[in-house]
Amino acid sequence: MRAIAVTPKKAGSAQQVELPKPEAARGLALMRVLEVGIDGTDTEINNGEYGEAPPGSYVLVIGHEALSVVETVGEGVQGFAPGDLVVSTVRRPDDCPNCRAGESDMCLFGNYTERGIKGAHGYMGEYYSEKPEFMVKIPAALRRFAVLLEPLSIVEKATFQAWKMQERMLWQPKRAVVLGAGPIGILCTILLRLRGLEVHVYAKSAPDSQQGRILADLDAVYESVDDHPVMRIKDELGQVDFILEATGNSTVAFQAMAQVGTNGVICLTGVSAGNRNVEIPADVINLQMVLGNRVAFGSVNANRRYFEAGVQHFQQAEQRWPGIFDRLITRRVPFADFKSALDRRPQDIKTLLTIAAG
Ligand code: BGC
Ligand code: ZN
């Protein structure tokens, strides 16, 4: 079968490879991949900054956001049948207590693998096989945009955890800020609007961009960072209860910490693979964190519980804003043009690599 693989740590190494077709062995389902979403992690892996091949392999099949259809199921597989649509989770557990409790996204030992990222092949090929416990069934009505479930699961986790932390007091959040208008920023805005918050999105793209129009239809306020610098958020908006950092820019992350309101919480989701040192208003941040009971936390990955929450929210959001998720998919690229799919263009929100029809 055809797949796209990189040589980890080698920049621009993505290439088409030929691999044996996996089998639906006992306890496994064989999945035919329909389409794969590309994100910043894939770009970083293809830039040679991140990624690890499976043991015994020189290459890593990339791709961790995939919509697939069950082709066959092996002996002993229950709950799935040929034709079912599936999105599989990314992380595979080690034997730490959290992983054993189904929370591999909170892994303690760090010996987890991540399909398409760390020590396990991903989904950017014609087929893959998987255990049912890592497969999430997708209602047929969500076919067009279900490939967005993995990035949605990331913000499901981030928001769930923030709200859980805030159970430390009486908390009635009204205003949120989202930094970045990529898929993570927009998907988080959708969840926050479903929760009834006023949302301000700070980003670089122009308000008349596709991002800006989507956010306007969500009744979120789009603020261009050219006119509204992150350092002024607090002065411009007043009390901000929740901030989601989704730019992956560490300068922005630290600047934003000084903008959270009293008793507020900021969640960092962007990964920065570099070694940058920046100047930050350390005294101001320290003082504010203490005097305002503020919380700053990082959030990575998502376990299947968050994928399942995402399936519910897909349905709720689609009812309220019909077609909203389709508008996030700005490019569909045929398999042969995988290199162009991996190149980020300014107008892109989510790019998909089409693997098969169906
Ligand atoms: C993926 C996560 C993963 C993280 C770090 C992200 O792009 O969505 O599942 O845990 O990268 O490897
Ligand atoms: Zn673990």
Side-chain angles (χ1 to χ4, degrees):
M1 66 157 199
R2 295 174 305 163
I4 304 300
V6 299
T7 307
K9 308 285 145 62
K10 201 173 147 210
S13 62
Q15 54 166 323
Q16 188 178 319
V17 295
E18 195 56 38
L19 293 173
K21 180 176 167 183
E23 285 169 30
R26 196 186 156 73
L28 295 176
L30 177 68
M31 235 80 64
R32 189 162 59 87
V33 181
L34 300 176
E35 51 198 11
V36 179
I38 316 271
D39 80 349
T41 303
D42 299 310
T43 313
E44 280 188 351
I45 293 174
N46 190 40
N47 287 343
E49 294 159 14
Y50 200 60
E52 191 186 312
S57 170
Y58 291 108
V59 296
L60 168 73
V61 174
I62 57 174
H64 60 276
E65 306 176 0
L67 176 67
S68 313
V69 59
V70 175
E71 176 116 322
T72 50
V73 295
E75 222 180 296
V77 171
Q78 280 171 6
F80 290 92
D84 284 348
L85 290 174
V86 164
V87 171
S88 295
T89 62
V90 178
R91 197 174 274 197
R92 299 293 169 265
D94 59 19
D95 57 357
C96 82
N98 292 45
C99 282
R100 275 191 269 146
E103 302 208 326
S104 59
D105 58 314
M106 305 302 279
C107 180
L108 274 169
F109 293 168
N111 297 321
Y112 60 82
T113 58
E114 286 181 340
R115 293 201 67 156
I117 303 175
K118 178 181 181 283
H121 283 321
Y123 307 128
M124 209 179 277
E126 290 175 283
Y127 298 91
Y128 71 94
S129 63
E130 191 50 270
K131 291 186 192 158
E133 59 184 294
F134 302 120
M135 295 158 49
V136 179
K137 205 186 285 188
I138 305 296
L142 308 183
R143 160 71 186 89
R144 287 190 325 277
F145 49 80
V147 67
L148 298 172
L149 184 56
E150 196 279 339
L152 180 61
S153 75
I154 299 293
V155 285
E156 290 285 357
K157 174 182 174 180
T159 49
F160 175 88
Q161 300 240 327
W163 261 251
K164 193 85 187 154
M165 282 172 205
Q166 297 298 80
E167 286 175 14
R168 66 196 169 122
M169 69 190 140
L170 168 70
W171 194 51
Q172 295 172 325
K174 295 190 175 56
R175 187 177 292 131
V177 162
V178 171
L179 301 169
I184 293 291
I186 298 177
L187 291 168
C188 191
T189 302
I190 292 174
L191 294 186
L192 295 168
R193 294 289 301 121
L194 283 177
R195 283 181 184 266
L197 272 78
E198 167 192 322
V199 184
H200 298 255
V201 181
Y202 286 70
K204 275 187 197 152
S205 8
D208 64 352
S209 60
Q210 171 82 338
Q211 286 92 326
R213 285 190 296 271
I214 293 173
L215 292 167
D217 290 343
L218 292 167
D219 286 321
V221 188
Y222 192 93
E223 319 267 16
S224 158
V225 283
D226 294 335
D227 314 320
H228 303 272
V230 172
M231 290 297 264
R232 297 208 27 147
I233 290 178
K234 199 151 54 73
D235 298 335
E236 289 186 3
L237 299 182
Q239 169 75 16
V240 175
D241 302 298
F242 176 68
I243 300 185
L244 184 99
E245 202 306 299
T247 69
N249 180 322
S250 53
T251 309
V252 173
F254 277 93
Q255 287 178 343
M257 280 185 208
Q259 306 303 315
V260 194
T262 304
N263 298 347
V265 51
I266 172 169
C267 175
L268 311 181
T269 62
V271 184
S272 30
N275 280 302
R276 197 148 37 109
N277 287 299
V278 292
E279 250 180 57
I280 53 162
D283 281 345
V284 177
I285 296 174
N286 184 56
L287 185 79
Q288 292 197 356
M289 296 297 289
V290 174
L291 296 187
N293 298 302
R294 292 167 174 90
V295 173
F297 77 104
S299 179
V300 70
N301 192 249
N303 67 52
R304 72 169 298 136
R305 198 171 71 219
Y306 302 114
F307 282 72
E308 283 160 3
V311 170
Q312 299 303 317
H313 287 140
F314 263 153
Q315 287 160 333
Q316 285 174 25
E318 193 57 25
Q319 276 205 346
R320 183 147 161 207
W321 303 286
I324 197 80
F325 295 106
D326 295 280
R327 293 163 67 193
L328 267 69
I329 299 168
T330 42
R331 256 198 312 148
R332 282 192 159 82
V333 177
F335 191 84
D337 296 338
F338 68 92
K339 286 209 169 115
S340 122
L342 286 166
D343 268 340
R344 257 204 80 74
R345 298 186 187 164
Q347 322 289 358
D348 288 341
I349 303 178
K350 177 59 74 183
T351 301
L352 301 185
L353 189 67
T354 306
I355 314 263

